[in-house]
Amino acid sequence: MEVDNSAEQALLVSGRPVMLDNCFVRDTQVLLHQPQFTDRTVSSSVSLKGSATAPVLVKSPVSSGVALLITSTEVLFTQDSFLTTEALIIPDDVLQSCSGEVQGAAFTASSLYVIACNSLCRMAQNGTWERVIVQGVSGGLVGLKARERHSRVGRAQVDDECLAVWTSTQLFVKSSSESSLELTSLPTTQLGASGYSNNTVPILDVSFPSDPEELGVLVQVLTAEGDNKLMTLQYDLPTTIWSLPEFTVQHSSAGNFSLLHLASAMPEALVWEPTNVTYIFSNGTGTLQVLEGNVTSNLVEEPLESIQEITAGPNGDFVIHLTSNKLYYGRVDIENVVELSPGELPEAEVVLFFDVLGRLQLVNYDSTASLATVRLFPLQAEVYSSMYPVTSCPYHRFSHGIDVDGYYIDVGEELKIWAMILYPSGSYNNVEVLVRNGHLLQQNFSSEILPSSLYTTENMTLHFSSNVTFEMLQAENSGSYGTTGIVTVEVRPKQTLYSCRGSVNMVTSISVGCPPNRHIRVRRPFGTEECSSYQNYIYTLSPDMYDPTYKGEGCQGCAGNSTEVTYDLDNLGCPIDVFYSDHFRPTVDLYDGDKFVREVTEDFFVWEAHGRTGYGYNATMQQAGCACEAQTLAAMLTAGNVSSPGDAWGPQNYQPCSTPCDPPGSLSGQHEVLSSSGVSALKFGSSKGIFVFHLKVLDPECSYCVLQTQFAVRVYGSPRESLDLYVYLAVLAFIVGTVIVLALTYYMYYKLMAGEHEKVLQEWTNKESDEQEGKESEEEEVKKEEE
């Protein structure tokens, strides 16, 4: 079985339930862990250990089986969810004989970053280590964070490489498009305009929300009245724009605060210090309380207890873990948590994490044996048990058709998602939909209510479509307007309780932009799949075949000499044969990988890769129906002053000639814009041989992608060759005609001779018959005489 090693995979094992060794075996899902790093053997190294007393777990965003367990005595590394572990070590030439105390660590999709001895170190996938230089850093590094949940849509495909590193007052961010960490200035001007002191803004923590294009930064601000407040700033990674939140949290002193964003379409987050947790939900803010029946109490009540960690799941839920190993479970938009039975002694060293399936895993560390073991925590059963005897749920069933891997929407495309909730008749519930960055798409939600005596069913259809115009797309391509981005969608029941089993919400992302692997191909006629004779084929272009003003990449400046060109069969494929007098218009198809999407009907243009002349267009602008003088490649090259036709002309500056203008200009020139429904096509006249064309789509309403490809044409049958062909055909016709005449002559001769032969034979037969009759007559006369 082939497995994609770019992300963690889940294998569903199903069959007939059986009893085996007093265990009930039923359908289950098994995670197929993929090693993210190869051999990491080093000759001389420094062993690492954590700076905190309690163990800390750091996961990879790609695979929950890849993790670091940082303890006060060692740092354990695993790539199979703690089935096996090994000590993490760094070469001493990287740490420069440091003691190896780890202050923080983070995984990206291809690297492991560690802060040790106030130095940032990076381990690549091949196991090699290097020291990362942070330019402009002032003071010691405090922490680092990377994305905790893998996302497969939009720019987040590659932004799993996003990393944030900070000091007490400086923030450095690295994305996939950047080779180094860049200093990111905090919005001090905006803070000052909002009435806060902007002299120094301490950074307390950093967290990545569900929106794969945002970063949350927890800072401490001082009001004009001298009050200390906590504020979660939102930083948009593509646009580098900061936004200030609507809510702030007041506190008395600068404690050890942490920030954690939960899985939700909205920026739902938890801010906590050692003794309490503040929730920042879309329905308000407050302090989390423990729910026991109808009574609430504080989260931390014992004097020696404190919050060790909070881990978040993929479905908007979270678990709070205290140093006494007490566990509390909560969900987005619910201001109370419930206590769970951990099944561990208070002195046990335990850490928690959610895997990609939303299952809670408990890691138990034995420091004496230097061993870490993991077990599946029965989260749903424990939550249900904690709520007993309350077992009712506001709905009977909640289901949806959401793809957790996300969606893509290109220009002119649409998407439909369904959700269904079944709840008791006589009560109220419905499907709640939360959308972030919804302005990027046209939205239409429709519901169908099906009541019955026992239950009521609501079927909801979510319809998303692109709502951009030609002008908006051109502004997008020129960088002056934003129509692309990530739309985060959350679907959940309106009314829910902890007694409801299963996932209560689902979050997905819709990438509005260019889908990955989307490209165009020129359709080739049937029978051109095999042309091995063009492998390493070399053809010569004479000096009179070049345009001396050509600015392309093929043969600029070589118009005075003949040149030899090697045919690139691997990239061009077989050339398309075109008879010299035929008009040729390429048919262009749109593909996602190897999957055909549709035929491209929008406008495009072509240019010869080597600057070769000898081709033109069969229609003028007037014949093409232009109301205004059309753009041409030569005019765009002159106006753009660029080195390549592909850069000079494209969706960012294309203007259709059907748009009227005053004055309309000259419409007698050749119309160089091609389309499947247009009248203009390529013509080659007396030219022959190989033409290698670039093709680029001009119309921005075709796609957000820059659609460009190459193809080759072999022109054959020049007028001289055609004359020789006519001679050959005439000779062949003469030969065939002669054969036909000879055949007819033989047939007529045979028919004539056959008639003569039949006539002679008839005469001979008649003569013989007469002789026989005469003989018989003589015999009768003789017989009569004898009588």
Side-chain angles (χ1 to χ4, degrees), residues 566-594:
T566 301
Y567 189 84
D568 190 356
L569 181 61
D570 294 335
N571 291 326
L572 295 174
C574 299
I576 302 173
D577 289 338
V578 177
F579 191 61
Y580 84 100
S581 61
D582 290 344
H583 295 157
F584 172 69
R585 183 187 303 112
T587 301
V588 186
D589 295 326
L590 186 66
Y591 280 82
D592 281 337
D594 290 329

Side-chain angles (χ1 to χ4, degrees), residues 422-556:
L422 181 68
Y423 57 92
S425 297
S427 62
Y428 170 75
N429 212 333
N430 69 324
V431 177
E432 183 178 29
V433 181
L434 303 177
V435 181
R436 185 167 175 82
N437 294 332
H439 65 279
L440 297 175
L441 291 173
Q442 187 75 34
Q443 306 169 42
N444 183 20
F445 304 156
S446 59
S447 294
E448 181 184 16
I449 306 298
L450 303 175
S452 67
S453 58
L454 295 179
Y455 295 100
T456 299
T457 303
E458 179 188 10
N459 295 315
M460 174 174 283
T461 301
L462 287 67
H463 184 268
F464 299 93
S465 60
S466 175
N467 59 350
V468 292
T469 63
F470 183 90
E471 292 74 16
M472 294 166 62
L473 290 168
Q474 279 207 323
E476 169 74 25
N477 287 313
S478 63
S480 61
Y481 190 88
T483 62
T484 61
I486 301 295
V487 178
T488 309
V489 181
E490 179 181 357
V491 178
R492 63 189 185 187
K494 180 69 174 180
Q495 305 290 338
T496 186
L497 295 173
Y498 286 122
S499 54
C500 298
R501 300 193 179 191
S503 302
V504 297
N505 73 333
M506 182 55 64
V507 180
T508 191
S509 297
I510 304 174
S511 175
V512 184
C514 176
N517 303 318
R518 176 155 289 189
H519 63 282
I520 55 174
R521 302 178 187 178
V522 173
R523 189 183 303 174
R524 285 168 170 77
F526 179 77
T528 59
E529 293 81 7
E530 177 58 37
C531 54
S532 57
S533 60
Y534 282 93
Q535 188 71 46
N536 299 321
Y537 174 73
I538 298 176
Y539 60 96
T540 302
L541 299 178
S542 60
D544 60 345
M545 293 182 177
Y546 292 105
D547 179 4
T549 63
Y550 177 66
K551 296 183 180 181
E553 67 280 2
C555 190
Q556 184 177 356

Side-chain angles (χ1 to χ4, degrees), residues 13-168:
V13 180
S14 60
R16 184 169 58 89
V18 296
M19 291 293 294
L20 179 65
D21 291 339
N22 297 322
C23 296
F24 183 69
V25 181
R26 56 174 293 177
D27 295 355
T28 187
Q29 287 181 305
V30 179
L31 288 177
L32 304 177
H33 302 297
Q34 300 298 320
Q36 191 176 347
F37 300 91
T38 56
D39 184 25
R40 303 176 297 105
T41 303
V42 293
S43 57
S44 178
S45 59
V46 176
S47 298
L48 303 176
K49 61 180 181 180
S51 59
T53 56
V56 177
L57 185 75
V58 180
K59 291 191 310 174
S60 167
V62 177
S63 173
S64 58
V66 179
L68 278 185
L69 181 60
I70 305 174
T71 71
S72 59
T73 57
E74 62 182 342
V75 178
L76 296 180
F77 177 74
T78 181
Q79 297 197 84
D80 53 14
S81 194
F82 293 98
L83 294 177
T84 61
T85 59
E86 57 181 314
L88 183 69
I89 52 179
I90 299 179
D92 56 3
D93 59 337
V94 175
L95 279 183
Q96 300 178 354
S97 302
C98 173
S99 61
E101 188 173 89
V102 174
Q103 300 159 279
F107 285 96
T108 64
S110 63
S111 303
L112 167 63
Y113 290 88
V114 175
I115 296 180
C117 307
N118 203 31
S119 298
L120 181 62
C121 305
R122 172 184 173 269
M123 183 179 74
Q125 286 185 314
N126 60 4
T128 59
W129 283 91
E130 66 175 351
R131 194 166 186 163
V132 180
I133 305 300
V134 183
Q135 299 290 345
V137 64
S138 176
L141 299 177
V142 173
L144 77 165
K145 286 283 184 69
R147 200 177 306 281
E148 295 183 359
R149 288 179 290 273
H150 176 71
S151 178
R152 299 187 188 180
V153 301
R155 287 181 284 262
Q157 286 187 111
V158 289
D159 273 356
D160 280 336
E161 298 295 330
C162 191
L163 180 72
V165 179
W166 68 94
T167 68
S168 59

Side-chain angles (χ1 to χ4, degrees), residues 675-718:
S675 69
S676 61
S677 59
V679 298
S680 188
L682 293 171
K683 64 178 182 178
F684 297 95
S686 59
S687 301
K688 65 177 182 178
I690 300 295
F691 288 80
V692 178
F693 287 106
H694 288 284
L695 185 151
K696 185 175 183 179
V697 176
L698 288 171
D699 195 339
E701 292 183 318
C702 178
S703 174
Y704 285 113
C705 307
V706 178
L707 299 175
Q708 185 172 323
T709 189
Q710 278 185 299
F711 68 99
V713 171
R714 185 183 75 90
V715 180
Y716 69 96
S718 65

Side-chain angles (χ1 to χ4, degrees), residues 266-288:
M266 300 295 108
E268 321 267 9
L270 300 177
V271 177
W272 79 92
E273 55 181 333
T275 57
N276 65 76
V277 179
T278 300
Y279 61 86
I280 305 175
F281 294 158
S282 57
N283 58 358
T285 63
T287 302
L288 284 179

